[in-house]
Amino acid sequence: MASEAVYTHRDPMLKKRDDFEDILEERRNSSDLRYALRCYTPVLYKGLTPSKASELKSMVLQSDQLHYVINQVSIETGMAADEVQAEAAAILEEMAHRLQISTVRFFAFTLSKVFKTLFRSICVNEEGIQRLQQAIHEHPVVLLPSHRSYMDFLLMSYILYTYDLALPVIAAGMDFMSMKFVGEMLRMSGAFFIRRSFGGDKLYWAVFSEYVKTILKNGFAPVEFFLEGTRSRTCKSLTPKLGLLNIVMDPYLKGEVFDVSVVPVSISYERILEEALYAREMLGVPKPKESTSGLFKARKVLSEDYGSIHVYFGQPVSVRSLAQNRVNRSQFNLTPRHIPRKPGEDIHSFVNDSAYRLVRAQEENMVLKPWVLLATLLLQNHHQSQAAGQKQGMAVDELTEQAVWLRDVSRQYGAFLHWPDHTSPSEVVSSSLSLHRGLVRISEGRVRLALEQAGGPAGGRDPRSAASPEEELLNQAVIILSCASYRNQALHVFIRPALLASAIHSASSNNKQEVYNSFSFLRNMFSNEFILCPGATVQDFEEACYLLVKTGALQINQQEFVVTERGHRTLAFLTSVLDPFLQGYQVVCRFLCEEATEGLTEKQFVPAVRKFIIKHLLTGRLRYAEVLSSDLQKNTLAALLRLGAVRKLKGGEEQGTLKVNKVMVNSLEDTLGGKLPTQKAVVARL
Amino acid sequence: MASNSSGGGSSDRQRIAQQRLSRIAGHLQRPADDNSAILAAECKAQGSKSGVSGGGKTVPRRRQEIMKWNGWGYNDSKFFFNKNGQAEFTGRRYRLSGLIIPGLKDWFEVTFGASVLHKTLAPPILNSSAVQPPTLNEAFVEELKSTGIPSSHDAEDRVFRAHGHCLHEIFALREGKFGRIPDMVVWPNCHSDVVKIVELACKHNVCLIPYGGGTSVSSALECPPEEARSIISLDTSQMNRILWIDEKNFTAHVEAGIVGQDLERTLNESGYCTGHEPDSMEFSSLGGWVATRASGMKKNIYGNIEDLVVHIKMVTPRGVIEKSCQGPRMSTGPDVHHFIMGSEGTLGVVTEVTMKIRPMPEYQKYGSVVFPNFEQGVACLREVAKQRCAPASIRLMDNEQFRFGHALKPQVSSIFTSFLDGLKTFYITKFKGFDPNHLCVATLLFEGDREKVLQHEKQVYDIAAKFGGLAAGEDNGQRGYMLTFVIAYLRDMGMDYYVIGESFETSVPWDRVLDVCRNVKARIIRECKEKGVQFPPLSTCRVTQTYDAGACVYFYFAFNYRGLSDPVHVYEQVEHTAREEILANGGSLSHHHGVGKLRKEWMRESVSNVGLGMIKSVKDYVDPNNIFGNRNLL
Ligand SMILES: Cc1cc2nc3c(=O)[nH]c(=O)nc-3n(C[C@H](O)[C@H](O)[C@H](O)COP(=O)(O)OP(=O)(O)OC[C@H]3O[C@@H](n4cnc5c(N)ncnc54)[C@H](O)[C@@H]3O)c2cc1C
């Protein structure tokens, strides 16, 4: 329960983790039907006052909270209160789940079949399950799975059903509702639906938050949602969204429950079903509408091997412990608690920090497969040989050697790596490569990214028109982005040391303070890109120093950093990890300085910057095709907006127009490129 | 309830008849043509029989003659496990006295994981040699002698006045640890004695700590260890007369050292009562109530101390403060009484108080209601408050306390045997479907004329029924109130068996009552676990008072401390976090126990900077040299 368990700052090396159990094994050996029909008697919250599911809605509609808002809306709009009430009821109707055990059983049956064809195993840490069961008994529980695939929440419910745990109620985006049938099925398996945007809609917000709180406070069911808000298309964790987290913490902060347990869950896919889909989406190849047929069209999906899934239920985190010495709860003493109030600055920053810590907790328990390391190495090799004009690819032996080296480094950094211990490294490598044969080619003892036929299925799809250089580039980028999405899974392990390595690289001297300034600049720059806890610059710096020193890559002599003999390899690797991002941010800056037109809007930004990048890639001025990722481009813009180098106009005709402070953007670009000392840029308001 | 001087067995009717008689006797004793008895100003002569006549006074100068020096209450009254392992209560003072309580042992052992075989007895005799020799201010002592006001620097006398009844205070006594104690005790006999003492104290710069009944539960009586001056405990217990009764205005003028039971008993003889009955009324004093802003069980009818006082006289280093008239309400700027009430002995000595009195009620009736759960019970109390029909007392115990109450049922006793009880339990749990692990009980006390009481009773039971409450008889109610007087004795027995505990209170708005109860109880349990307490603690609460805008909540908390090296420290840490939990959940720092030194760290956040500054500036004006140096509140 202790909050320290959320993530260990100082010594990631000492991280202890549970063992896994494959839940598909039993499914392969016994009847799915019996499994789907077996007796289901989960442990419930001890404070639960048994009441019928139907009562939930009336509890929400009769709550003081909602009444207050209904009256307010009625006064503001002149609508009769019972009309507003009816509207609230309609919102609730549209939103509410209708969890039905029969539907769950249906899913238990069909998913068993599907999972067995798609995956080799679904591994779950049973100790985590036991902790969860205990937590559900003790306090209201919030489940926070990572979000990489549509599968996630079905998978979660499937696992909970398997272990006879209380089934969660899940916050799902409204876009599912466009798939009529699936939407209703999901609703009956516990999903409730929230509109994507309801900005100023007070009534909607009131119904929604009261609905969630009522479920939570009474312990009717664990509440599940995705802290990242949406599926991460890059496999990097996304900056957490705070809305729902605010809602579920509120009952604790206002004293309505003794505590709330938040359980981060890390779901790692060895191969992601949506892999290529995501890459295309980020490259601007239109996204297929999320329709029922779309999801299942890929029949071929079913015939492929997606390896295994690891699901790690993390330590339950007590909101009470998180808030201890952080939030003064007595601030709610002086106004009735049912009157909605905007959370104050302290609450906001508390929730925000907690959100980051929870995402980090998810990250830390993500299982990394050897392929993640291979993809990292292959990508680096690709760029280096491209730059040097060398022959593409690397010898299998060399790859294996490097992989073993990287395995050891990443373990030292606390990575949760599943590298089969009783298999020879070369076997590990070859079996990893074969699972991802869509992304790599092996010939003549060399491995390289499968770029040349990236345009379509082997053999060339449409021989009529030879692909234009731009098309070819985009096709290659699909492969590169797919590989990058695997590399990205390991970024959280390397990010702090990588920032330090780059800082050492770019700092004007090896003086610790200089390096720190440089580190701090980079960290600030990239805080929309990676999960870096707000306000933890010093801790991050120290953690990075600690890791590099402890692993013998770095020595600190009287405030001077000295890279050791064997440290050069590590630091070279680490700077290469960050390099594509450094380059990417610079290109975006350059675009804004050179090509951004007066009236450029946020909407036009991505297509315009993409065009600019394509140009640069084609002329060879830029090496990293992964910079084509709209995710990176948007993150850069977000960082610049945050830093005030770009402003977004609000309201009026010019709504969404970007105003670029070219001097500042330029200086940021130069600093990123190491052309300006960080000190200057820091002055430029960081 | 303490049965006062009358024995345990009399029935209600008999008792009321007796009261009527004594009331009439009271009338007869007074001059028929005069409404008030006037006391001669002279008070020096010891034992002078002036003022309103009354029975024997309870508190002698040498308290040790009747009271325990290291525990609660009378020497002759205590719980113990007899040879058969059954709990028994000794003495003859209380209804429970001389009775066997068969269920207590099991409850005790099961609740605390304790065993009657594991005993840790306190030393019976005070070891005077462990007491620091007094630091006397010779000049002060000399001059005091010349006034003829009795004093003492006997070790026992001093130790007795060095503490209240916080757990840590009693525990230390049982361990024979004394720390800083007063250097001297003085016993003024009247207001003018106090004036002299305060003058001398100012002149010689000694520290004065007023001492009333010694029932403080806020470390208010503890001597600040850093105090270098001579500390004089000013024991008011001998200023215990009712100086006059004014039947025209329904007031009585009383010396502040009188203890509650004497005050009530004496007034009863004249057919009156104040109706102020804090659970400590056997020993706590009028001056103590004023100084701490005390609250009595029957405040619904009679009000809290601030509603009861009409006039206060207090001696301060600046002189005597009092109002010029006894008007029932005034608009004369901030009410100076409110500087005095709650001053906790930091400003001066309250010497005389004019209090409201009421004719004694003709009829009293106990009652109880069982609710399916605590939530329903609280909802019912709120409704009762809304309809402003609260009986003299209404208290709601949670499930744990309900079970505790059951364990305290004595074996044989006319008033306790209720053969219906078993049947009732059966009816409630089996027939009405109440879960014995959730149900809770409210105890009620009605007072007034018979007709109205019965009407009132019906109204309350009707409300209760709306919240699923079932009437559960008079005994349950009566036993509930009896418990409040013996619970302090029980703590002493607990300490004989490695169990320590305490109660603390708060006041809280209605919408927070359930939240505070739940969260504080859970916090106690969690903290105990984290602090290494081996067995789950007893963590229970009850709602003891209702107001228009909220309620007073009492928490009881006790645990078995075997295996802990510093149990009192653990205890204090847990109580500390419990108080933080209370404050975080919208509860107050105290409803009536006061702040003392135990809770003063939270004063600033409780009353704001400016508020604290106001209190401080009053202190600075009234007592610039900190003669009243007990360091409470600020
Ligand atoms: C078992 C038990 C039950 C209790 N129940 C209640 C209850 O129901 N309601 C309630 O309100 N409290 C209760 N208390 C708390 C306590 O009884 C009250 O605070 C009471 O008012 C203290 O009175 P006392 O005469 O014992 O004062 P003491 O304990 O002697 O002193 C308390 C404080 O008041 C000061 N003081 C005392 N007399 C004077 C005076 N004449 N002039 C100036 N300052 C003075 C002292 O210096 C000290 O700071 C209970 C305590 C116990 C142990």
Side-chain angles (χ1 to χ4, degrees):
Chain A
M1 271 279 137
S3 65
E4 304 87 73
V6 182
Y7 80 111
T8 38
H9 236 323
R10 279 297 305 184
D11 203 344
M13 295 182 179
L14 297 175
K15 195 133 189 94
K16 263 220 136 57
R17 295 187 182 89
D18 309 334
D19 293 331
F20 286 101
E21 204 63 44
D22 175 15
I23 59 168
L24 283 187
E25 195 173 303
E26 201 191 318
R27 294 280 44 76
R28 295 192 206 278
N29 297 324
S30 65
S31 153
D32 287 335
L33 192 61
R34 200 170 310 135
Y35 158 78
L37 294 177
R38 67 172 194 177
C39 160
Y40 167 71
T41 49
V43 168
L44 301 171
Y45 173 49
K46 67 175 181 205
L48 180 70
T49 18
S51 55
K52 282 183 229 91
S54 59
E55 283 171 37
L56 170 62
K57 281 185 198 162
S58 60
M59 284 171 86
V60 174
L61 290 173
Q62 280 157 23
S63 66
D64 294 342
Q65 282 77 351
L66 198 54
H67 268 205
Y68 182 87
V69 174
I70 285 172
N71 283 335
Q72 231 185 357
V73 170
S74 146
I75 290 165
E76 281 166 18
T77 61
M79 247 161 93
D82 41 347
E83 269 175 70
V84 185
Q85 170 91 26
E87 198 180 304
I91 293 172
L92 188 57
E93 204 52 40
E94 173 193 278
M95 181 180 311
H97 77 84
R98 274 197 295 279
L99 184 59
Q100 249 180 17
I101 187 68
S102 56
T103 313
V104 173
R105 292 186 191 285
F106 165 80
F107 271 113
F109 180 77
T110 40
L111 286 178
S112 292
K113 301 284 179 217
V114 174
F115 287 159
K116 280 188 285 186
T117 25
L118 287 178
F119 305 108
R120 294 182 194 171
S121 60
I122 298 177
C123 300
V124 178
N125 65 325
E126 293 199 338
E127 282 164 74
I129 292 287
Q130 276 159 23
R131 289 190 297 254
L132 176 58
Q133 182 173 29
Q134 175 80 19
I136 289 175
H137 180 64
E138 293 289 321
H139 301 294
V141 163
V142 176
L143 289 166
L144 296 179
S146 59
H147 203 9
R148 301 289 174 269
S149 167
Y150 274 138
M151 293 294 347
D152 292 328
F153 82 71
L154 285 175
L155 178 63
M156 282 288 291
S157 296
Y158 182 83
I159 293 170
L160 296 179
Y161 172 81
T162 304
Y163 285 105
D164 214 18
L165 287 177
L167 289 168
V169 172
I170 307 128
M174 213 54 175
D175 27 7
F176 272 115
M177 286 306 286
S178 55
M179 314 179 235
K180 258 277 149 47
F181 174 69
V182 174
E184 284 316 307
M185 285 297 281
L186 295 180
R187 204 194 274 284
M188 288 188 287
S189 60
F192 66 93
F193 295 98
I194 337 163
R195 296 179 193 158
R196 272 286 174 222
S197 60
F198 47 91
D201 191 340
K202 251 191 231 176
L203 187 64
Y204 193 89
W205 177 261
V207 174
F208 164 51
S209 62
E210 199 47 32
Y211 177 70
V212 175
K213 283 187 218 173
T214 306
I215 294 170
L216 192 74
K217 277 194 296 202
N218 295 286
F220 289 144
V223 171
E224 176 179 313
F225 64 91
F226 298 106
L227 205 42
E228 297 164 287
T230 177
R231 291 170 298 152
S232 165
R233 270 71 166 170
T234 59
C235 282
K236 257 185 311 131
S237 294
L238 303 179
T239 304
K241 303 278 179 299
L242 305 184
L244 262 159
L245 194 61
N246 251 314
I247 292 177
V248 297
M249 286 185 157
D250 192 68
Y252 164 72
L253 296 175
K254 293 202 176 133
E256 294 167 326
V257 294
F258 180 69
D259 202 352
V260 173
S261 287
V262 184
V263 183
V265 183
S266 315
I267 307 177
S268 334
Y269 295 91
E270 186 166 14
R271 251 191 90 191
I272 290 172
L273 291 154
E274 294 99 326
E275 175 186 281
L277 227 60
Y278 288 157
R280 294 222 171 78
E281 191 184 322
M282 284 182 301
L283 290 165
V285 182
K287 163 181 164 194
K289 194 144 171 50
E290 282 164 3
S291 63
T292 313
S293 55
L295 189 62
F296 289 110
K297 179 145 38 148
R299 260 278 170 67
K300 121 168 193 293
V301 165
L302 281 170
S303 61
E304 293 219 11
D305 179 359
Y306 287 89
S308 51
I309 305 176
H310 283 84
V311 183
Y312 195 96
F313 288 83
Q315 279 288 347
V317 177
S318 144
V319 173
R320 174 175 279 268
S321 323
L322 282 176
Q324 195 165 21
N325 303 327
R326 283 273 333 234
V327 179
N328 176 4
R329 284 181 288 154
S330 59
Q331 65 183 283
F332 300 105
N333 289 352
L334 298 180
T335 31
R337 290 171 293 173
H338 66 265
I339 299 180
R341 269 210 294 172
K342 241 191 136 122
E345 193 41 52
D346 60 329
I347 303 277
H348 176 83
S349 87
F350 162 68
V351 175
N352 191 38
D353 289 0
S354 305
Y356 272 87
R357 293 176 67 166
L358 290 162
V359 174
R360 272 201 74 182
Q362 285 175 354
E363 284 185 336
E364 292 198 335
N365 292 324
M366 286 287 204
V367 169
L368 306 183
K369 287 292 191 170
W371 164 247
V372 167
L373 303 183
L374 299 179
T376 309
L377 292 166
L378 286 168
L379 272 175
Q380 288 195 0
N381 172 269
H382 168 73
H383 293 305
Q384 276 147 15
S385 47
Q386 192 186 28
Q390 288 161 351
K391 195 167 162 205
Q392 289 284 313
M394 60 203 295
V396 176
D397 293 346
E398 193 194 341
L399 178 62
T400 308
E401 185 275 332
Q402 289 198 17
V404 169
W405 173 81
L406 190 53
R407 173 194 70 188
D408 297 342
V409 173
S410 57
R411 276 196 175 144
Q412 286 177 315
Y413 291 0
F416 193 7
L417 188 64
H418 254 230
W419 183 290
D421 281 323
H422 305 294
T423 318
S424 75
S426 57
E427 262 175 78
V428 172
V429 169
S430 69
S431 85
S432 297
L433 293 176
S434 84
L435 186 69
H436 296 275
R437 56 183 162 268
L439 300 175
V440 284
R441 286 286 160 273
I442 313 175
S443 59
E444 299 157 26
R446 291 181 75 79
V447 192
R448 62 196 150 71
L449 299 181
L451 297 177
E452 71 284 2
Q453 42 66 268
R461 171 190 42 172
D462 194 349
R464 273 169 300 171
S465 59
S468 69
E470 182 176 331
E471 276 170 351
E472 195 173 322
L473 176 68
L474 285 174
N475 286 333
Q476 291 185 358
V478 170
I479 298 297
I480 290 186
L481 285 188
S482 299
C483 282
S485 77
Y486 290 99
R487 176 209 57 203
N488 287 349
Q489 294 181 20
L491 277 181
H492 66 93
V493 176
F494 298 120
I495 185 62
R496 276 153 281 268
L499 285 169
L500 178 60
S502 303
I504 292 173
H505 187 73
S506 65
S508 46
S509 82
N510 280 341
N511 174 275
K512 189 171 179 183
Q513 187 59 46
E514 292 274 350
V515 174
Y516 175 79
N517 290 344
S518 188
F519 177 92
S520 167
F521 167 78
L522 290 173
R523 188 185 178 283
N524 190 7
M525 204 64 218
F526 287 122
S527 61
N528 293 73
E529 192 71 45
F530 310 110
I531 299 300
L532 296 162
C533 298
T537 311
V538 175
Q539 288 101 305
D540 281 350
F541 182 69
E542 277 172 2
E543 185 181 316
C545 292
Y546 172 82
L547 288 175
L548 288 184
V549 170
K550 180 124 181 210
T551 52
L554 194 67
Q555 286 174 350
I556 307 179
N557 301 333
Q558 288 164 348
Q559 304 299 306
E560 288 288 311
F561 282 156
V562 181
V563 180
T564 64
E565 190 72 32
R566 65 185 171 126
H568 286 294
R569 181 177 186 180
T570 313
L571 268 78
F573 167 78
L574 289 172
T575 39
S576 309
V577 165
L578 205 60
D579 204 42
F581 298 95
L582 268 170
Q583 302 280 340
Y585 275 49
Q586 288 175 68
V587 174
V588 175
C589 287
R590 205 168 318 145
F591 161 77
L592 288 170
C593 291
E594 291 174 10
E595 299 225 338
T597 50
E598 255 318 286
L600 180 75
T601 63
E602 198 182 11
K603 267 218 187 87
Q604 299 158 344
F605 168 76
V606 169
V609 79
R610 178 181 292 136
K611 234 167 98 193
F612 182 81
I613 291 172
I614 288 174
K615 205 170 67 195
H616 274 65
L617 283 167
L618 288 175
T619 56
R621 270 182 286 166
L622 181 66
R623 282 187 284 151
Y624 295 107
E626 64 173 282
V627 170
L628 281 168
S629 156
S630 59
D631 180 68
L632 180 140
Q633 296 150 7
K634 287 179 190 159
N635 288 339
T636 315
L637 180 62
L640 294 173
L641 285 165
R642 171 170 51 83
L643 297 172
V646 176
R647 270 187 320 121
K648 185 163 68 185
L649 299 184
K650 290 211 173 101
E653 295 261 299
E654 307 203 299
Q655 166 82 14
T657 304
L658 300 173
K659 288 273 164 235
V660 182
N661 176 341
K662 292 199 174 163
V663 178
M664 198 165 159
V665 172
N666 199 32
S667 111
L668 286 171
E669 185 200 338
D670 286 350
T671 317
L672 281 169
K675 284 183 229 154
L676 259 187
T678 36
Q679 214 59 51
K680 273 250 176 71
V682 173
V683 175
R685 138 170 219 170
L686 287 188
Chain B
M1 283 191 80
S3 58
N4 300 338
S5 45
S6 60
S10 60
S11 74
D12 270 2
R13 193 171 292 162
Q14 275 172 320
R15 191 167 54 81
I16 285 158
Q18 262 176 15
Q19 283 170 349
R20 267 206 204 109
L21 270 177
S22 62
R23 188 170 67 191
I24 293 162
H27 278 296
L28 289 177
Q29 270 163 18
R30 232 164 309 110
D33 59 341
D34 199 343
N35 286 318
S36 60
I38 296 167
L39 167 85
E42 188 62 15
C43 69
K44 265 254 220 58
Q46 288 220 358
S48 75
K49 227 177 173 294
S50 43
V52 178
S53 66
K57 299 298 183 192
T58 303
V59 187
R61 277 212 310 252
R62 289 183 61 75
R63 302 173 76 83
Q64 47 273 49
E65 284 164 11
I66 61 160
M67 281 179 238
K68 298 194 190 77
W69 68 275
N70 62 355
W72 176 255
Y74 297 106
N75 282 324
D76 55 22
S77 301
K78 61 181 282 197
F79 284 98
F80 76 108
F81 287 114
N82 65 21
K83 282 193 221 86
N84 308 326
Q86 285 181 314
E88 223 179 294
F89 193 56
T90 61
R92 331 186 31 196
R93 293 177 188 269
Y94 299 89
R95 297 223 154 107
L96 216 52
S97 299
L99 298 182
I100 286 179
I101 305 122
L104 191 55
K105 172 172 173 275
D106 273 356
W107 177 85
F108 182 75
E109 294 193 329
V110 169
T111 306
F112 296 108
S115 160
V116 299
L117 301 176
H118 297 300
K119 229 176 154 179
T120 163
L121 280 185
I125 309 287
L126 193 157
N127 174 10
S128 309
S129 64
V131 175
Q132 277 178 10
T135 315
L136 295 176
N137 180 319
E138 294 302 339
F140 173 82
V141 175
E142 269 316 298
E143 277 203 59
L144 183 72
K145 222 178 244 162
S146 70
T147 64
I149 299 169
S151 67
S152 157
H153 50 257
D154 167 71
E156 278 192 16
D157 287 335
R158 290 162 55 219
V159 167
F160 235 98
R161 284 152 188 89
H163 66 84
H165 281 271
C166 290
L167 174 82
H168 69 269
E169 294 172 315
I170 300 302
F171 199 89
L173 292 175
R174 290 170 61 102
E175 303 254 285
K177 294 188 184 135
F178 302 119
R180 181 76 165 103
I181 65 169
D183 299 299
M184 193 174 161
V185 182
V186 295
W187 286 274
N189 216 31
C190 62
H191 172 77
S192 60
D193 282 357
V194 175
V195 172
K196 285 176 205 152
I197 297 167
V198 173
E199 270 168 16
L200 289 181
C202 291
K203 182 170 166 198
H204 299 289
N205 192 25
V206 298
C207 171
L208 287 181
I209 299 186
Y211 180 91
T215 63
S216 158
V217 280
S218 62
S219 301
L221 292 169
E222 263 177 18
C223 298
E226 68 274 21
E227 180 58 70
R229 296 172 297 182
S230 184
I231 300 181
I232 315 298
S233 175
L234 189 154
D235 183 335
T236 60
S237 63
Q238 305 310 303
M239 309 189 338
N240 55 14
R241 282 151 295 201
I242 296 177
L243 299 179
W244 44 254
I245 292 173
D246 178 348
E247 289 181 290
K248 278 268 160 59
N249 295 311
F250 312 109
T251 54
H253 192 66
V254 189
E255 288 184 312
I258 194 166
V259 293
Q261 59 168 315
D262 290 353
L263 177 62
E264 288 310 286
R265 183 172 356 91
T266 315
L267 286 175
N268 285 178
E269 284 164 9
S270 311
Y272 290 100
C273 65
T274 64
H276 184 66
E277 295 184 11
D279 292 354
S280 58
M281 70 176 287
E282 290 167 283
F283 306 106
S284 58
S285 71
L286 171 53
W289 301 335
V290 170
T292 58
R293 292 182 67 89
S295 168
M297 173 181 102
K298 299 196 292 198
K299 73 93 192 156
N300 291 336
I301 294 184
Y302 301 97
N304 288 315
I305 195 71
E306 67 272 21
D307 310 308
L308 284 165
V309 297
V310 175
H311 184 267
I312 306 174
K313 201 191 266 186
M314 177 164 82
V315 181
T316 80
R318 283 265 174 201
V320 174
I321 173 174
E322 64 180 320
K323 291 186 187 174
S324 66
C325 69
Q326 311 210 62
R329 182 184 186 275
M330 308 179 194
S331 175
T332 47
D335 189 340
V336 293
H337 282 173
H338 284 285
F339 294 137
I340 299 171
M341 284 187 286
S343 60
E344 303 192 358
T346 59
L347 298 179
V349 187
V350 176
T351 54
E352 289 171 15
V353 178
T354 307
M355 262 187 117
K356 296 182 194 169
I357 56 170
R358 303 288 306 162
M360 285 180 65
E362 159 187 314
Y363 187 66
Q364 266 196 339
K365 193 170 181 195
Y366 290 99
S368 65
V369 181
V370 182
F371 292 98
N373 56 47
F374 193 65
E375 289 78 3
Q376 295 281 72
V378 171
C380 171
L381 262 60
R382 182 175 162 273
E383 184 61 26
V384 166
K386 180 181 170 194
Q387 298 194 19
R388 292 211 173 141
C389 64
S393 169
I394 177 166
R395 289 175 170 179
L396 179 73
M397 306 189 224
D398 69 1
N399 182 262
E400 289 86 352
Q401 267 189 44
F402 165 72
R403 283 187 276 172
F404 173 40
H406 255 256
L408 276 168
K409 241 180 200 172
Q411 197 166 39
V412 266
S413 156
S414 55
I415 60 154
F416 291 115
T417 42
S418 157
F419 112 101
L420 261 180
D421 241 349
L423 220 71
K424 214 175 274 158
T425 318
F426 178 81
Y427 172 75
I428 286 169
T429 57
K430 295 284 158 6
F431 193 70
K432 283 285 175 179
F434 284 25
D435 179 345
N437 294 313
H438 288 293
L439 61 81
C440 72
V441 65
T443 58
L444 310 167
L445 170 61
F446 297 91
E447 259 188 31
D449 44 70
R450 198 186 151 84
E451 198 95 323
K452 282 210 188 108
V453 161
L454 296 178
Q455 216 180 323
H456 193 177
E457 190 186 23
K458 181 173 181 320
Q459 186 185 9
V460 171
Y461 283 122
D462 285 350
I463 295 174
K466 287 204 195 102
F467 295 89
L470 298 171
E474 289 184 54
D475 320 345
N476 275 323
Q478 188 162 13
R479 193 168 54 249
Y481 290 101
M482 177 268 299
L483 254 180
T484 60
F485 286 93
V486 298
I487 194 141
Y489 286 103
L490 262 176
R491 183 173 79 180
D492 288 339
M493 182 178 76
M495 283 201 263
D496 289 342
Y497 296 92
Y498 295 94
V499 171
I500 51 179
E502 180 95 284
S503 60
F504 46 90
E505 44 72 22
T506 186
S507 56
V508 55
W510 280 118
D511 73 317
R512 295 277 195 165
V513 172
L514 288 174
D515 294 331
V516 163
C517 292
R518 178 199 333 101
N519 292 349
V520 173
K521 288 200 287 181
R523 181 76 183 263
I524 289 170
I525 291 168
R526 180 190 269 204
E527 292 294 331
C528 280
K529 197 168 164 194
E530 279 176 16
K531 300 283 175 325
V533 176
Q534 312 275 322
F535 298 91
L538 174 70
S539 175
T540 117
C541 71
R542 65 182 189 206
V543 179
T544 61
Q545 290 292 4
T546 61
Y547 292 87
D548 288 354
C552 168
V553 179
Y554 240 86
F555 295 93
Y556 288 85
F557 146 51
F559 61 86
N560 177 346
Y561 69 81
R562 297 194 66 189
L564 295 179
S565 59
D566 191 351
V568 171
H569 184 61
V570 170
Y571 168 78
E572 285 174 335
Q573 285 179 312
V574 176
E575 188 187 333
H576 188 271
T577 53
R579 180 58 62 182
E580 303 224 289
E581 193 63 33
I582 288 174
L583 297 175
N585 284 277
S588 65
L589 190 51
S590 169
H591 169 264
H592 59 266
H593 281 168
V595 174
K597 288 177 274 292
L598 192 61
R599 285 175 276 273
K600 70 179 188 174
E601 68 182 283
W602 291 290
M603 267 301 271
R604 190 176 296 276
E605 76 178 79
S606 289
V607 304
S608 83
N609 271 331
V610 177
L612 201 69
M614 283 178 166
I615 298 172
K616 199 168 167 335
S617 61
V618 170
K619 166 78 180 171
D620 288 346
Y621 171 75
V622 173
D623 183 18
N625 297 318
N626 197 27
I627 297 301
F628 288 91
N630 60 18
R631 299 189 197 238
N632 292 335
L633 289 171
L634 290 167

